[in-house]
Each structure stands twice: as C-alpha cells, then as structure tokens.
Amino acid sequence: MSKLRRALDSLPARPAVFISAALIVGVLLYRYGGEYLDCSAHAGLRDRLHRAVEQAAGGANGGRVVLAEVTDFAWSRADIQVNFKPEVEVPGCPLGWDWSTEERAALVADDLLTVIVFSQNGALVNFLEYRSDWGVFRDAAGPFTPETAVFAATDEGGSVILSPVRQPGTGGS
C-alpha cells in the first residue's frame, strides 16, 4: 500500500501540463511519423549509394558499384533517369530529414538530379534521388535487373563516372 501512496504522491499537482505535452507529442508522431520514416529511408539509401560510389572510385569492390548490394528491399527492375526534371513540384521533407524542396529545385535547375526507380512485378517498390555531382551515370539506358545493375566507377577529372558493366549472357546492360 505504501508503494501505491508514494506513486500517487509523486504525480504532479497539475497533471494537465504533462497530459497536454504527451498529447502534443502523440499528435506530432501520428502526423509526421510515417513521413519521417520515408524521408530518413530515402536519405539512408542515397547515403549507402554515395559511400559505395566513393569506395568503388577508390578501387574497392573491384571498382564496381553493385546496386543490389546498396538496396535493402526486393526489386526486379531498376530504371535510371539522368537529369531528371519532375513535371510537378515534389514536396521536401521537413526538419532536414531529407532534401528540402529548395535543394531539390536547385539540383533540377543545374541538371544534377538522377532518379533510380525500383519496381517489382510492375509495381513501384522504391526510388532514389541521387546527385549527379557525386556520380554521373553514363550509358545507363535500362532497364536493369539486380544481376545486371553493376557499374564500373572511374574517376575522370574529379568526376566519378558510373558505366554499366557488360556481363556475359545478359545481352548488354
């Protein structure tokens, strides 16, 4: 009984302040929780690709970037669009969770936005926005499969060029 009394005595005299704060946090989590997960997942995917490109340009992994090793989800097709220009304004993520609307607009204006679209059985699975000043996909007409999405990373005058590796038995890309 004394434990219960001590627990009740430890409650604040004005619980409305704490209930209000908990309610606000709950509403914010409800409103932004899914958006945060989506935004941070896109930022994480882009960071993994960027690290793989940097490492391959430095000679790691045989100088190759294997897209299937960068992704953490199932996909059967990847399409790469270099110098992507969206037809509508794409909203940015709040609070720096990923690129802002302004940052994306600047990349589009400077022809520095590459988009990789991943699909499985004809349905969109995920997409990746990538900065072309981090790595330029060249001759990347796809589609690519997880087996064929392998790119040689070469440093050409300070720019990393990512070119598809022709693999035997795949008919090209």
Side-chain angles (χ1 to χ4, degrees):
M1 189 67 159
S2 64
K3 285 184 180 183
L4 178 60
R5 178 170 297 259
R6 277 183 286 180
L8 290 173
D9 287 341
S10 69
L11 288 175
R14 298 182 184 238
V17 172
F18 295 97
I19 292 171
S20 298
L23 184 61
I24 290 169
V25 168
V27 167
L28 289 173
L29 281 174
Y30 177 77
R31 166 62 180 94
Y32 291 110
E35 191 172 355
Y36 169 76
L37 292 175
D38 288 344
C39 291
S40 61
H42 286 288
L45 178 57
R46 182 176 42 256
D47 289 343
R48 287 193 304 273
L49 178 57
H50 184 49
R51 279 194 309 275
V53 168
E54 286 181 323
Q55 291 170 352
N61 199 21
R64 295 181 178 195
V65 175
V66 180
L67 209 49
E69 293 176 359
V70 174
T71 57
D72 58 359
F73 49 87
W75 56 277
S76 59
R77 175 182 172 137
D79 293 284
I80 300 173
Q81 177 66 48
V82 178
N83 299 333
F84 181 73
K85 301 244 187 248
E87 295 180 14
V88 296
E89 182 175 333
V90 180
C93 291
L95 307 173
W97 294 333
D98 194 15
W99 286 340
S100 66
T101 302
E102 295 79 19
E103 186 175 1
R104 184 180 291 105
L107 292 169
V108 169
D110 293 337
D111 290 329
L112 292 175
L113 186 62
T114 295
V115 175
I116 305 172
V117 177
F118 299 95
S119 58
Q120 175 100 6
N121 300 323
L124 174 70
V125 174
N126 207 338
F127 67 93
L128 166 65
E129 296 175 313
Y130 193 69
R131 297 179 62 111
S132 295
D133 55 347
W134 290 350
V136 178
F137 284 89
R138 185 178 289 163
D139 301 324
F144 296 95
T145 66
E147 295 78 28
T148 63
V150 179
F151 301 89
T154 56
D155 191 332
E156 292 184 12
S159 294
V160 178
I161 306 300
L162 300 162
S163 303
V165 174
R166 308 279 183 224
Q167 299 173 359
T170 62
S173 304

